[in-house]
Amino acid sequence: MRIAAIAAALLLATGAHAQGQNNYGSIYSRYGVGERIEFGSSQAQMLGRAGVALRGGTYVTLTNPALWSDQTVTTFSASASLTTTRAEDATTDGTSVGTAGDLAGLHLGLPILPGRLGLTVSYQPFTRVNYRTAIRDSLDVDGDMEPYTLNQEGAGGLQQISGGLGLRIGRVVQVGASADVIFGNQELLQRTDFDAATYNETRQARATRLRGVTATLGATASLLDPFGEGDVLTFGGSVILPTSLDASRTVTLGESLDRDTLGTVTDGSVDLPLSVRAGLAYRSGARWLASFEGLYEPWSGFESTLPFAGYDPASSGAGDVLTDRVRFGGGVELTPAGRERRAGALRRTSYRLGGYAERGLSSPTGSNVMTYAVTGGFSLPSRLTGARVDLGFEAGTRGSTEGVLVRDTFLKGTLTLNFGERWFVRRRFN
Amino acid sequence: MRRLVAAAVAALALSACQDPAGVGLGLIDDDLSNPKAIQVPLADLDTLQNQVAAIGIASASAAAPQSRVLVGSVTDATFGDAQATAYIDFLQPTTIPSGTEASDVRSVWLELRRNYVYGDTTTALPVEIRPITDSWDADTDYPSDTTLAVGAVLTSGTVVVSDTLKRFDLPASWVAANAATLIGSDFATAFEGFALQTSSAFAPVPGAVFGFGTFSTTRSGLRVALSDDTLFFPLSEVFSSITSTPPPAPPASVLPVRATSRSSLRFVADVSGAPSTALARATFRIPLDTTYAHEGTFVRPLASSALLIGVREDSNGTETRSTLGALTLDDGDAVLGDARAFTAAIQQVLIGTASPFVRYEVVPIASLTTNAASLNILPVVRPLPGAADSARLILTVVGSDA
């Protein structure tokens, strides 16, 4: 694995993350601890986010540790994404356009026993808060109408760092487990800016720091040659265990180093629900692959001692808008050349197409916030053995313009660099 | 691959454009904390007696510049009687023609640029010039009614409002006696200047107080005529001793606040009822009754500026005074022009990181950049209970209590 390539991948990923620091996405990211983000692998993303049963050594699917036992070479991947979201509602004439860059995922995988026992360390966002809305209005101040702009902004989110092992037992069964550290900061900012220079811009922020540990368990079972020689049918499932995060909240005025803390720091806890996914993948020879997955997260059981948007512990459930998140997705992949290494680049490219439907974790008006998206992309071969460059896209809509709801139309592009190379192998001949 | 990475980085770099709008406000209306204006009525408005004044220097570049001196006497039943005596000293020219002797001094006169009047503009004010016999220097902390010891009358004149450059000729006997001092090297210590005061026989009905510019740019100074040249001695130390009495019949609707007449405005503005939240602006609006500026031929110049001073008190009762800004005239009201410092101070009070001000003081001044003795008035309308246009503190806050 070339160090320069790894450096380029890290640079790309870090740049995307930095670029996204002040960019904006969906208004729905304000609810709970933010919009749930997942990154299984670049392959899974393009196949309708269905990766829980995807076997193979080139890609390491982060959502199911059982699959990590498939690693035969040391693998590394870095993925960056760029999402443009156009939002509209029934109450506003205009539209809001936000663009957010983000680091989608990083992983390093080591085959302890190639094809049988694999270790993986990974990073991926767990939630993301990145909304902004602004209103123009005027205030009567002592008889003078003073125009102002009131901005409501959300930033931050939770991150996930995982480390774990995947083990293949026999030829059929794989199991795996990882320990997951979840941490991050969510900041909701209200910024008010008067047109008149005699007024100060006000910034009141509510920052919530969260941290905790959970675990992910996964398993797969594969049927070899179920319909023909070389076919593999794999069933997979994984679960992120529910956990309680420690939380501390501060309300501040001002910005950066000049912030004043209002009141005292409030400590509390936030209970995240479990996340269950199950699916199957069918590989027909070396050319065709199909994958399907369902996901369930019971966010209606979300509990916290601190209030969040859409959840108030003092309301005894009245007015809470968090609901169970459900997603079904799937896709197909075609690699025309199969395993032919001498075929042309276009034939060695993998072509992927998929889609998913998801009920979001919030229902602000009682109506489901549905997301429908088409996914797809290409996996381009490289002159480097075991390296592939994946270009993915995801286009869809989220929500509706019914009542006060917002309809997002989003287009997401993802660039992922995947590397695989043998490490720690002593050469027999010079 | 390099091209792909470069393309991706370029795409990310171009992604910063945003177009946020009001889309989605319906989803967060519950959380919206619209700004609101809160009026805090000022309480306990009263006048406060000032105890000190400054002996200044007649130079804009000095640490204590004083651009005007006052002389005269006025009776004013509304804002109080006042008497003023001006004390002026001079600076010897840096270059005196070589070989100049006392016998070369032909005549000496004092020229003063009149630029101020308070009182009846038809007054013919008799002014006497006396030598100061005390030693005095610039001082920033000096009782405002301080008087200096003076000698006998040297000369006198009458000042009327039409005078722009008033000349007082000094008698030949004084010139002969002081010619050597005027051109001598010990002028700074041997000569203490003149006092300008009204004649004790003058009965102000109602009278007037006139002001004279002190800076050399006004050409006020002492002229010493030599046989073939005239020397100009600009003013140096200057001081206006002002005595005043409270008005016997102050108007019921107005607080008789007058600059450098030993009074300023004091009041209380209690912000304890305001929310502990973000503050966009804090400012004062104090209505003035400007009809008192002109009553027939009687004029009372309005104070164009006033310093806003906040007073804090520690547990031992020790007071700390902070200058928070300057009030200026705006449409007949005194308002805080640049409210940033005051807003920052009140913000700290609202969030509890600073103790509140126990009271505020408003000290009328002639200018924000230089001191100028004056009797300018600040006719503050007394607040009426429940009146929306009474003197008030206006807080523009955003959000509710944290």
Side-chain angles (χ1 to χ4, degrees):
Chain A
M1 195 180 305
R2 293 184 180 178
I3 299 300
I6 295 177
L10 285 172
L11 191 65
L12 172 66
T14 306
H17 194 53
Q19 184 71 22
Q21 286 299 305
N22 291 314
N23 292 339
Y24 305 110
S26 173
I27 187 72
Y28 295 108
S29 69
R30 66 185 297 269
Y31 292 107
V33 292
E35 178 185 6
R36 275 285 280 127
I37 305 290
E38 304 149 66
F39 182 79
S41 67
S42 56
Q43 183 187 36
Q45 294 298 101
M46 289 185 251
L47 297 176
R49 298 190 176 183
V52 73
L54 281 176
R55 296 193 58 181
T58 303
Y59 298 98
V60 174
T61 305
L62 303 179
T63 50
N64 187 353
L67 298 169
W68 301 349
S69 65
D70 283 333
Q71 298 176 92
T72 56
V73 295
T74 300
T75 58
F76 172 81
S77 71
S79 183
S81 67
L82 189 64
T83 306
T84 295
T85 304
R86 176 181 292 273
E88 57 185 332
D89 64 14
T91 60
T92 309
D93 291 335
T95 59
S96 174
V97 180
T99 304
D102 211 342
L103 171 59
L106 285 172
H107 101 272
L108 175 65
L110 298 173
I112 298 172
L113 297 173
R116 294 197 61 184
L117 178 64
L119 168 70
T120 295
V121 178
S122 68
Y123 159 83
Q124 59 181 308
F126 190 80
T127 66
R128 185 65 73 226
V129 181
N130 58 355
Y131 69 90
R132 179 191 175 193
T133 186
I135 186 172
R136 289 280 299 167
D137 208 341
S138 294
L139 175 69
D140 182 351
V141 181
D142 205 36
D144 296 324
M145 295 307 293
E146 300 287 358
Y148 66 87
T149 303
L150 189 153
N151 300 276
Q152 292 263 349
E153 300 174 8
L158 296 177
Q159 324 295 329
Q160 177 181 347
I161 292 178
S162 302
L165 295 168
L167 173 67
R168 180 168 61 84
I169 303 171
R171 296 188 63 191
V172 175
V173 177
Q174 293 171 298
V175 294
S178 69
D180 311 312
V181 178
I182 295 176
F183 64 98
N185 189 47
Q186 180 196 61
E187 181 171 290
L188 307 185
L189 171 69
Q190 174 164 308
R191 185 165 56 84
T192 307
D193 190 12
F194 283 82
D195 290 6
T198 54
Y199 288 81
N200 292 345
E201 180 190 72
T202 66
R203 287 171 168 263
Q204 185 163 353
R206 187 185 77 179
T208 308
R209 189 174 296 277
L210 299 157
R211 58 192 179 282
V213 177
T214 186
T216 303
L217 306 176
T220 69
S222 299
L223 298 178
L224 305 180
D225 307 328
F227 307 113
E229 186 176 349
D231 291 1
V232 180
L233 178 62
T234 303
F235 299 91
S238 69
V239 56
I240 302 174
L241 301 179
T243 186
S244 182
L245 306 182
D246 295 330
S248 61
R249 174 169 291 174
T250 55
V251 178
T252 60
L253 283 181
E255 55 186 320
S256 62
L257 298 178
D258 292 330
R259 290 188 178 195
D260 287 310
T261 300
L262 299 181
T264 56
V265 177
T266 307
D267 293 324
S269 64
V270 174
D271 294 341
L272 297 183
L274 61 78
S275 176
V276 179
R277 68 185 73 223
L280 60 88
Y282 174 66
R283 182 179 293 279
S284 175
R287 298 180 65 201
W288 288 94
L289 173 67
S291 181
F292 303 93
E293 181 184 304
L295 175 141
Y296 173 70
E297 291 179 348
W299 284 92
S300 59
F302 174 82
E303 290 187 351
S304 168
T305 59
L306 301 175
F308 284 85
Y311 176 83
D312 186 355
S315 69
S316 302
D320 292 351
V321 302
L322 297 185
T323 187
D324 295 347
R325 176 173 176 248
V326 179
R327 188 184 70 227
F328 293 99
V332 294
E333 174 187 296
L334 170 64
T335 309
R339 293 193 178 90
E340 292 179 40
R341 291 179 178 272
R342 296 188 178 184
L346 288 178
R347 295 192 68 233
R348 285 188 292 135
T349 297
S350 295
Y351 302 90
R352 296 166 184 148
L353 187 64
Y356 67 86
E358 175 178 316
R359 185 176 76 184
L361 59 79
S362 64
S363 55
T365 62
S367 300
N368 292 330
V369 175
M370 296 299 299
T371 301
Y372 302 98
V374 176
T375 62
F378 310 94
S379 178
L380 307 174
S382 162
R383 282 182 294 181
L384 292 174
T385 303
R388 296 189 78 87
V389 177
D390 284 17
L391 293 172
F393 74 87
E394 186 173 317
T397 65
R398 181 189 301 110
S400 70
T401 55
E402 177 186 334
V404 297
L405 291 179
V406 173
R407 178 166 60 212
D408 296 332
T409 303
F410 60 88
L411 176 62
K412 179 178 183 179
T414 306
L415 170 64
T416 307
L417 306 181
N418 299 281
F419 299 94
E421 191 172 80
R422 293 187 184 280
W423 283 8
F424 314 118
V425 176
R426 182 179 299 168
R427 296 190 177 196
R428 290 174 184 268
F429 306 100
N430 287 321
Chain B
M1 183 182 298
R2 288 175 184 167
R3 290 178 182 175
L4 282 171
V5 172
V9 171
L12 290 170
L14 292 172
S15 68
C17 54
Q18 300 133 27
D19 177 28
V23 175
L25 279 175
L27 293 176
I28 57 175
D29 268 345
D30 290 344
D31 290 347
L32 269 183
S33 295
N34 289 315
K36 58 186 174 185
I38 299 172
Q39 291 196 1
V40 178
L42 307 189
D44 300 337
L45 270 77
D46 202 353
T47 56
L48 180 72
Q49 299 303 304
N50 292 327
Q51 300 300 320
V52 297
I55 295 175
I57 301 294
S59 168
S61 58
Q66 189 71 252
S67 64
R68 185 163 56 216
V69 290
L70 300 179
V71 59
S73 181
V74 64
T75 57
D76 184 350
T78 307
F79 283 82
D81 299 347
Q83 297 80 41
T85 299
Y87 299 96
I88 54 178
D89 200 354
F90 304 93
L91 201 62
Q92 191 182 52
T94 53
T95 56
I96 293 178
S98 59
T100 301
E101 297 180 355
S103 57
D104 295 327
V105 176
R106 297 285 184 264
S107 62
V108 178
W109 68 95
L110 174 65
E111 278 186 351
L112 295 172
R113 178 75 63 181
R114 192 202 61 78
N115 58 12
Y116 181 84
V117 61
Y118 180 105
D120 185 1
T121 54
T122 64
T123 299
L125 183 71
V127 173
E128 298 173 344
I129 308 295
R130 297 168 184 262
I132 298 172
T133 55
D134 271 347
S135 177
W136 61 301
D137 290 301
D139 193 328
T140 57
D141 191 14
Y142 213 68
S144 59
D145 57 355
T146 297
T147 56
L148 303 176
V150 296
V153 175
L154 298 175
T155 185
S156 62
T158 301
V159 180
V160 294
V161 75
S162 58
D163 289 331
T164 53
L165 191 64
K166 184 62 185 175
R167 173 170 172 157
F168 298 91
D169 289 304
L170 290 160
S173 59
W174 183 88
V175 173
N178 291 274
T181 302
L182 290 170
I183 61 172
S185 58
D186 61 344
F187 173 82
T189 55
F191 187 77
E192 296 294 342
F194 298 128
L196 286 76
Q197 56 189 189
T198 54
S199 166
S200 57
F202 176 67
V205 188
V209 171
F210 289 101
F212 298 97
T214 62
F215 287 0
S216 61
T217 51
T218 66
R219 304 303 297 162
S220 290
L222 195 67
R223 298 298 203 282
V224 176
L226 305 177
S227 53
D228 54 358
D229 199 0
T230 300
L231 301 178
F232 174 61
F233 289 59
L235 274 60
S236 54
E237 291 93 347
V238 294
F239 177 61
S240 298
S241 172
I242 300 172
T243 59
S244 61
T245 55
S253 61
V254 166
L255 276 166
V257 180
R258 194 165 59 192
T260 59
S261 65
R262 306 184 65 185
S263 71
S264 61
L265 175 67
R266 58 171 287 171
F267 55 83
V268 172
D270 181 9
V271 299
S272 61
S276 173
T277 187
L279 181 66
R281 192 180 72 163
T283 188
F284 284 106
R285 182 168 283 275
I286 301 174
L288 306 177
D289 186 346
T290 57
T291 60
Y292 288 95
H294 291 88
E295 290 184 303
T297 58
F298 198 99
V299 297
R300 301 182 186 92
L302 292 170
S304 59
S305 303
L307 292 179
L308 174 67
I309 295 169
V311 182
R312 287 191 168 100
E313 197 174 87
D314 65 14
S315 56
N316 299 321
T318 304
E319 292 186 344
T320 305
R321 299 157 65 85
S322 307
T323 300
L324 301 171
L327 295 168
T328 55
L329 292 183
D330 174 42
D331 196 23
D333 295 340
V335 299
L336 197 55
D338 184 349
R340 285 173 295 185
F342 182 55
T343 300
I346 296 299
Q347 176 72 89
Q348 298 301 316
V349 172
L350 292 184
I351 64 176
T353 55
S355 58
F357 296 102
V358 294
R359 71 168 187 277
Y360 298 89
E361 296 174 8
V362 172
V363 181
I365 55 176
S367 163
L368 293 177
T369 54
T370 59
N371 296 314
S374 79
L375 298 177
N376 293 352
I377 62 168
L378 199 65
V380 177
V381 176
R382 292 180 188 272
L384 298 174
D389 57 352
S390 293
R392 55 205 176 271
L393 167 64
I394 305 157
L395 304 176
T396 305
V397 299
V398 183
S400 53
D401 278 310

